[in-house]
Amino acid sequence: MSKPVRSTALTGRIAGASARHPWRVVALWVGIVALALTTLITVGDRFTTNEEFRVDLESRVADGLITERLNGGQEAPLQERVIVSATDLSVDDPAFQAVVHDVATALSADGDVASVVTYYDSGEDGMVSFDRHRTVVLATLAGDPNEPTMHAQSVLATIADLREPAPGFEVMTLGEASVLNTMATTAKEGMARGETIGIAVALIVLALAFGALVAAGLPIVLGIVSLLVSIGIAAAASHLFGLNTAVVQMIGMIGLAVGIDYTLFIVSRYREERERGLTTIEAITRAGETASKAVLFSGLTVVVSLLGMLIVPWNLMTSVLGAITVVLVSVVMTLTLLPAVLGLLGDRINRGALPFIGYHRAIADGDRKS
């Protein structure tokens, strides 16, 4: 019988303590996740789609001069160009005019619309197409011009309800708010679809690597935990700092990668130590003082390298803070929560063995039990 493992490394001591008091650690992380979800539900976020450089580029100077000399020192208001088109009728037809009137009335009733102008109000031919089957309804939006999507959600919803106001008619819109909203929505849907596919592929690869479903699912679960916590932190921080919406995309892109990678590394080392005959606690401690130490320095290296990107004077680079947050959360999670879960699972980590490639522990008959 070998001597008990007594770790002198900080990461080993943290792993051993977490494994000896697993329910306390798990309860702490459950509270952290609950707090993150509560923040997302109750407080929400204030991510911005606004992009700007923090230095006086020539384009910024020119934009400032336009605002000062042509717009009376105020930012030009946001406008949505709502296009009403008909298959057969022209703008001169009373039925066409009635449809435009209904669209303008619906827009005017929206509290986020400051004013509405139609061709029938102005008489400007520039608001009518050459074939006279289309016209523009100009809706000026209220709210901060620097936050196009934040104050335009209800307006875009109103326009969406007017897609087909009458048989033979179609309503479309074009403006900064609608374009940015479409880009943000498409990015979120794409990220969600990509992450779903990525998780499925990662689960298959992990199952083949570990040969057991429980071991394969653990990195996925802990990776999702790190995402939830990081997004909650970013949402809270968005109320204090002008974080770009790309922060969430950066968290999703980096979070699963590092979360799965770090967990995979430590679980593999834990299983190796169990094969050598160490008890569960000893194997977790040994993995903590070796693999966890590597994870700690790897994570810190990633954080330091990402900090260099903040030198670029572009507020879009604040999205790097999302990557830094999720890396730090993943490191802390693998140093504490992972050892606690391994302490609870023990050799049950090898359950769900796959046929033909299932994991088989190569341990001598004198293997000590946990």
Side-chain angles (χ1 to χ4, degrees):
M1 182 180 293
S2 61
K3 295 182 179 180
V5 175
R6 297 183 182 278
S7 176
T8 57
L10 175 61
T11 53
R13 294 199 300 270
I14 293 174
S18 299
R20 286 189 292 271
H21 306 283
W23 288 114
R24 296 180 184 179
V25 177
V26 170
L28 175 62
W29 276 95
V30 168
I32 293 174
V33 173
L35 181 60
L37 292 175
T38 301
T39 300
L40 289 173
I41 295 173
T42 60
V43 178
D45 64 77
R46 290 185 60 85
F47 295 121
T48 178
T49 56
N50 186 36
E51 300 178 19
E52 63 178 14
F53 283 88
R54 297 189 299 271
V55 295
D56 289 332
L57 300 177
E58 292 181 354
S59 59
R60 288 194 63 193
V61 174
D63 186 62
L65 291 174
I66 291 174
T67 300
E68 177 183 352
R69 299 179 183 181
L70 300 182
N71 296 333
Q74 297 181 351
E75 293 283 350
L78 291 174
Q79 292 182 326
E80 280 293 316
R81 292 161 180 83
V82 182
I83 304 171
V84 181
S85 62
T87 306
D88 301 318
L89 302 180
S90 71
V91 295
D92 304 307
D93 193 290
F96 197 116
Q97 183 173 354
V99 170
V100 172
H101 178 268
D102 291 341
V103 171
T105 300
L107 290 171
S108 300
D110 194 301
D112 288 324
V113 175
S115 63
V116 176
V117 178
T118 70
Y119 163 69
Y120 305 105
D121 299 324
S122 64
E124 295 184 10
D125 290 334
M127 300 181 71
V128 179
S129 64
F130 290 116
D131 60 6
R132 302 188 71 78
H133 287 294
R134 296 170 183 82
T135 185
V136 173
V137 177
L138 191 61
T140 301
L141 308 185
D144 187 357
N146 293 317
E147 296 293 347
T149 59
M150 187 174 297
H151 301 284
Q153 294 301 316
S154 63
V155 179
L156 297 178
T158 299
I159 296 173
D161 294 336
L162 297 170
R163 291 298 181 191
E164 296 182 1
F169 285 87
E170 184 181 13
V171 174
M172 299 176 289
T173 186
L174 178 64
E176 186 177 1
S178 57
V179 169
L180 290 177
N181 183 74
T182 300
M183 291 174 60
T185 302
T186 303
K188 289 180 181 179
E189 292 175 351
M191 185 180 71
R193 184 166 55 252
E195 295 299 340
T196 300
I197 296 173
I199 289 175
V201 173
L203 184 58
I204 294 173
V205 173
L206 289 170
L208 294 175
F210 282 130
L213 295 179
V214 174
L218 184 58
I220 301 294
V221 173
L222 295 188
I224 293 175
V225 169
S226 67
L227 291 183
L228 292 176
V229 174
S230 300
I231 292 175
I233 294 173
S238 68
H239 290 268
L240 302 176
F241 310 102
L243 298 181
N244 192 278
T245 186
V247 167
V248 178
Q249 301 171 27
M250 187 67 72
I251 289 175
M253 181 174 62
I254 301 296
L256 277 179
V258 297
I260 292 174
D261 183 48
Y262 293 164
T263 305
L264 171 65
F265 190 27
I266 294 174
V267 170
S268 297
R269 186 55 190 268
Y270 162 74
R271 296 170 97 192
E272 291 175 1
E273 297 301 337
R274 285 291 286 148
E275 288 181 0
R276 291 173 181 154
L278 297 183
T279 65
T280 297
I281 299 297
E282 291 173 345
I284 294 172
T285 303
R286 180 63 58 83
E289 66 183 4
T290 53
S292 294
K293 182 185 292 186
V295 165
L296 174 61
F297 283 97
S298 172
L300 293 178
T301 301
V302 172
V303 168
V304 171
S305 64
L306 290 174
L307 285 173
M309 298 180 68
L310 295 178
I311 297 175
V312 180
W314 187 20
N315 77 328
L316 186 60
M317 284 299 171
T318 58
S319 61
V320 174
L321 294 175
I324 293 174
T325 300
V326 76
V327 169
L328 292 175
V329 170
S330 297
V331 169
V332 175
M333 183 187 66
T334 52
L335 293 180
T336 57
L337 180 59
L338 179 56
V341 174
L342 289 176
L344 292 173
L345 289 176
D347 288 337
R348 290 190 294 272
I349 189 75
N350 301 317
R351 286 188 174 178
L354 300 179
F356 306 110
I357 60 172
Y359 176 75
H360 301 285
R361 291 179 60 210
I363 304 178
D365 293 340
D367 175 33
R368 294 185 293 136
K369 304 298 181 182
S370 59

